[in-house]
Amino acid sequence: MPEKDKKVTPPAPSEPIRGVKASVEPDSMIERRNTEPATPPVRERRKYKVSETPPPPAPPPKLNDYASIIGQPEIDEIRYIARLLRGKTVKMVNSTAVGGGVAEILNRLIPLMQELEVQTKWEVITGGNDFFEVTKGFHNALHGGDYHPTKEIFDIFLMYNEQNRQRMEFVEDIFVIHDPQPAALIRSKERNRGKWIWRCHIDLSNPHREVWNFLKPFIEQYDATIFSSPAFTRQLSVPQYLFYPSIDPLSEKNKDLDESYVQKVCDDFGIDRSRPVITQISRFDRLKDPVGVIQAYKLAKKYVDCQLVLAGGGASDDPEGAVVLAEVMNEAGDDPDVIILNLPPWSALEINALQRASTIVIQKSLKEGFGLTVTEALWKRKPVIAGAVGGIPTQVIHKLTGVLVHSVEGCAYQIRYLLTHPDFAAQLGRHGHEHSKENFLLTSNVKRWLILYQQMLGLNKPVKVT
Ligand code: UDP
């Protein structure tokens, strides 16, 4: 019988070790529930120590470095498209220089644009705590949450936008304003001839009506808008474009790793690679349904052997994260095959290794933006089981690039099915990789931007042949 088909007897409840802590926080961050073990641990696990400070950022890659991934013709095409834009100037504006997906994308995108001689400047708006409280409220409200906006709230938003607008110069050919926080900078449009693009990274499918009604008149002054999924858009009087979020295949999170490093991370975390490993990498957030993942694992485990790795972060500074982590610990009980990791934000290499070591990657979200963890897993040729929510179905085409699920039972069924049908699982992984390569890589994103710039500046009109 293949190893993966063997049924392993669950350990006795008294066995104490479950979960390995990988955290710079005190030991109490991940408590082992039985601190007084009645019997020795099932197997010795070393406590993994992730570096206590972020490592210095690696220098950004050059465009040619991507040739080994997407091929030289694709690189040549990007350079060809960029040639008409040489010397054009672009200003990108968002609300944070670090943390969050937008900053991550801009950090990788802008050096490539500079290399292509499309002079791209990145500016970050500033504001007091009151401003960021308001914009956080807007963010949640635009995602459909409860919110009670007042005139004062709208005034704070406008006041800080106006302050930033007065401080900034708008002399470029193109302005790309990211997300709602700086949306009112569009008030500078009258004074110059540049083109204005609003890049929305959030799901506007069910926005809070008052907040959206407040923002919409600003948005409709832009020359174009960009959304991350067809499902995220609103009816607008201005053109809308679809840009998928992207991952950088050369970043620490996604680059190829030596097998010895992957093995080392698994050894340190106590993961046994001779048995199937199913993994969910996510913040400890109820909308990511980590408890549902454990329940699905438990159901599947009645039929197939596997270990479950739940790796996340943010529990130390997010009160809700700590509560969810406690719920996760409780649901895991004393099962030594459930390995719960609380990682600091600079664990990209470790996350990369965990994804690569996984037999299956799960993202059983109940609500999701785009779900970059899914993209990362597809890129690594992993069979993915994911909730059919948000941007996930754009990435996981059911039974082609992964499988979509709607319940704990569905997830358990798919775990069992994929672990017992490794050829099908491998095929999903191959297709998933191709899908991510075609649509969700930084280089595709660069190309989309260049084509849009050309279009906005009227540079890609058909040539009249005489
Ligand atoms: N991530 C991470 N550490 C964690 C959990 C997640 O670095 O402990 C990364 C994950 O690899 C992905 C991103 O954070 O790149 C999460 O993006 P996603 O769109 O999946 O979800 P979000 O957290 O934005 O809702």
Side-chain angles (χ1 to χ4, degrees):
M1 193 193 289
E3 184 66 29
K4 65 182 170 8
D5 289 340
K6 281 187 198 156
K7 171 89 176 68
V8 165
T9 314
S14 59
E15 288 171 344
I17 293 290
R18 167 191 54 74
V20 172
K21 181 188 161 196
S23 171
V24 292
E25 298 301 325
D27 278 5
S28 57
M29 271 306 296
I30 287 192
E31 285 298 335
R32 290 174 184 149
R33 293 180 67 233
N34 298 334
T35 47
E36 302 289 342
T39 54
V42 183
R43 61 176 180 272
E44 258 325 301
R45 287 176 181 168
R46 277 189 281 147
K47 189 189 280 183
Y48 189 74
K49 199 81 182 154
V50 178
S51 116
E52 293 190 10
T53 49
K62 297 276 180 212
L63 193 56
N64 274 349
D65 296 337
Y66 295 87
S68 60
I69 296 168
I70 57 171
Q72 193 59 43
E74 189 69 18
I75 302 282
D76 294 343
E77 191 185 347
I78 291 173
R79 290 195 192 283
Y80 183 78
I81 297 169
R83 86 203 183 288
L84 288 179
L85 292 159
R86 258 182 230 143
K88 297 291 179 203
T89 52
V90 177
K91 189 201 294 290
M92 297 227 170
V93 183
N94 81 324
S95 62
T96 171
V98 283
V102 180
E104 183 124 353
I105 291 172
L106 295 186
N107 260 315
R108 313 300 286 201
L109 178 72
I110 287 174
L112 292 180
M113 287 296 186
Q114 298 288 32
E115 190 188 330
L116 290 165
E117 296 176 54
V118 182
Q119 302 306 329
T120 306
K121 232 181 174 177
W122 174 10
E123 290 192 34
V124 177
I125 54 164
T126 54
N129 286 345
D130 48 350
F131 177 60
F132 290 109
E133 263 163 39
V134 166
T135 57
K136 190 173 172 205
F138 277 19
H139 181 91
N140 293 338
L142 290 168
H143 270 125
D146 229 11
Y147 193 57
H148 302 286
T150 58
K151 179 174 178 311
E152 195 197 342
I153 282 177
F154 291 136
D155 286 346
I156 289 172
F157 179 87
L158 293 176
M159 191 263 286
Y160 280 105
N161 264 265
E162 188 56 25
Q163 264 183 20
N164 280 285
R165 198 175 76 81
Q166 297 294 342
R167 179 178 60 81
M168 292 161 79
E169 269 198 325
F170 295 93
V171 293
E172 287 79 3
D173 297 304
I174 292 181
F175 305 98
V176 182
I177 310 300
H178 292 263
D179 280 338
Q181 297 92 328
L185 294 179
I186 188 68
R187 283 179 164 171
S188 279
K189 189 182 176 189
E190 269 73 33
R191 295 208 225 118
N192 64 76
R193 57 191 169 72
K195 295 290 180 186
W196 287 71
I197 302 169
W198 187 59
R199 171 57 168 118
C200 179
H201 296 267
I202 63 179
D203 177 355
L204 285 188
S205 54
N206 181 31
H208 187 284
R209 189 179 307 193
E210 257 181 283
V211 175
W212 176 241
N213 286 345
F214 168 76
L215 288 171
K216 191 177 172 194
F218 294 108
I219 305 309
E220 293 199 317
Q221 293 174 52
Y222 283 81
D223 297 295
T225 56
I226 304 173
F227 291 89
S228 296
S229 162
F232 292 0
T233 59
R234 306 298 308 157
Q235 198 150 25
L236 290 168
S237 60
V238 290
Q240 304 184 24
Y241 294 87
L242 174 65
F243 276 34
Y244 297 126
S246 60
I247 58 165
D248 183 348
L250 298 181
S251 67
E252 295 205 323
K253 181 77 65 66
N254 297 303
K255 69 180 184 185
D256 283 342
L257 294 177
D258 281 349
E259 172 50 33
S260 58
Y261 178 74
V262 176
Q263 188 60 51
K264 177 188 175 307
V265 170
C266 288
D267 290 345
D268 285 343
F269 285 151
I271 298 166
D272 174 6
R273 292 184 77 198
S274 69
R275 295 165 53 216
V277 178
I278 57 180
T279 304
Q280 176 160 297
I281 311 272
S282 270
R283 292 178 291 106
F284 291 105
D285 178 328
R286 289 199 186 99
L287 294 180
K288 309 283 183 183
D289 201 16
V291 168
V293 174
I294 299 176
Q295 290 166 345
Y297 151 85
K298 284 182 183 167
L299 285 176
K301 186 86 183 247
K302 292 181 182 162
Y303 305 96
V304 284
D305 178 33
C306 53
Q307 302 150 89
L308 173 64
V309 177
L310 288 172
S316 53
D317 55 359
D318 169 5
E320 197 172 83
V323 173
V324 176
L325 179 55
E327 290 169 6
V328 166
M329 301 293 289
N330 190 44
E331 187 65 37
D334 295 317
D335 188 338
D337 282 340
V338 180
I339 297 159
I340 300 163
L341 305 171
N342 186 25
L343 302 173
W346 48 89
S347 311
L349 279 172
E350 287 83 0
I351 288 176
N352 187 345
L354 289 172
Q355 288 168 329
R356 287 183 190 279
S358 302
T359 319
I360 294 173
V361 170
I362 298 189
Q363 189 57 58
K364 206 199 148 310
S365 303
L366 303 173
K367 245 180 179 272
E368 191 54 83
F370 188 70
L372 280 175
T373 48
V374 172
T375 330
E376 291 158 8
L378 295 180
W379 174 246
K380 293 169 185 118
R381 295 184 168 80
K382 295 299 162 183
V384 172
I385 300 173
V389 291
I392 289 177
T394 307
Q395 307 188 66
V396 174
I397 302 163
H398 189 53
K399 294 189 181 173
L400 183 66
T401 64
V403 286
L404 293 171
V405 293
H406 303 83
S407 64
V408 166
E409 291 74 16
C411 185
Y413 172 82
Q414 294 295 357
I415 293 171
R416 183 182 173 191
Y417 188 85
L418 293 185
L419 289 182
T420 51
H421 295 79
D423 291 344
F424 178 61
Q427 180 184 312
L428 295 178
R430 281 195 302 276
H431 290 165
H433 175 76
E434 287 309 315
H435 189 44
S436 64
K437 184 169 160 182
E438 193 63 33
N439 297 293
F440 312 127
L441 291 192
L442 176 64
T443 40
S444 322
N445 196 244
V446 168
K447 200 157 104 180
R448 283 196 175 97
W449 278 114
L450 294 171
I451 292 170
L452 181 61
Y453 291 167
Q454 281 197 1
Q455 187 164 335
M456 306 281 345
L457 297 175
L459 299 174
N460 63 352
K461 298 221 168 79
V463 181
K464 194 173 168 198
V465 182
T466 50

